[in-house]
Amino acid sequence: MKHLLLLALLACSHPAPPCAPQQSDTGAVTEDEFKAMHAAPVTNQAQLHGTDIDLAGTKAYLSIPPGPGPHPGIVVIHEWWGLNDNIRHWADRLASAGWAAIAVDLYSGTVATTPDQAMAAMKQVDEARAEQTISAAIDPDAA
C-alpha cells in the first residue's frame, strides 16, 4: 500500500509536458476533434418526474425526492447538447437517490441535435449570465 501511495504522489508531483496553447473553447483538442468525441444524444424514453420551472429569467428542471424534506441539493449543469430530456432524466435519478436536483439551462432554451449546433450553442454562452443562472440555482432567494 505504501508503494502505491508513493507512486501516486510521484505521478502527481511531476507536471505534465507543456503543450502549445490553443485559442479554443474545446481545450487541447480542435473543434473537429471535440465534435468527433461527442455522439448525439439518444432520445430518452424514460418517464420524467420533475418539472420545468422559471429560474432567474431562464428555464430549469427541478426534481425533488419523495418524502418529507429538507433534502440536500445539487445543481446539474448540462453537457454541450443543452437541457434535454437526457439531463432531466439524470436529475430524476439524483432525486431518486435523495437529492433535490435542479438542472439549469445555460443555452436559453436551445437544445442541439447535431455537433455543429452544439458547438454554436456552447460558443454563444454569456459567461456572466451563466454565472447568474448557476448562482440562482444555488440560492434562489438571492436572484
Side-chain angles (χ1 to χ4, degrees):
M1 183 67 172
K2 288 182 181 179
H3 295 296
L4 289 176
L5 182 58
L6 180 60
L7 287 174
L9 288 172
L10 286 173
C12 293
S13 66
H14 288 65
C19 57
Q22 297 178 352
Q23 295 291 332
S24 174
D25 293 327
T26 58
V29 297
T30 67
E31 288 183 10
D32 288 335
E33 291 168 331
F34 189 85
K35 290 177 195 176
M37 291 188 296
H38 296 85
V42 176
T43 302
N44 184 355
Q45 300 298 320
Q47 181 180 356
L48 300 176
H49 301 285
T51 185
D52 288 317
I53 63 169
D54 291 319
L55 177 71
T58 189
K59 298 291 183 190
Y61 180 78
L62 179 64
S63 192
I64 304 291
H71 304 287
I74 190 166
V75 176
V76 179
I77 300 174
H78 60 74
E79 61 215 353
W80 78 327
W81 300 108
L83 181 55
N84 58 23
D85 283 349
N86 184 50
I87 299 303
R88 288 178 175 91
H89 173 67
W90 277 101
D92 285 345
R93 289 185 66 176
L94 289 164
S96 72
W99 294 88
I102 185 166
V104 297
D105 181 3
L106 303 182
Y107 289 178
S108 302
T110 297
V111 175
T113 57
T114 68
D116 288 332
Q117 290 173 346
M119 182 64 70
M122 183 179 71
K123 287 181 171 186
Q124 291 176 358
V125 171
D126 177 324
E127 290 184 25
R129 181 75 183 114
E131 185 178 330
Q132 289 172 349
T133 300
I134 294 167
S135 294
I138 293 168
D139 185 3
D141 293 330

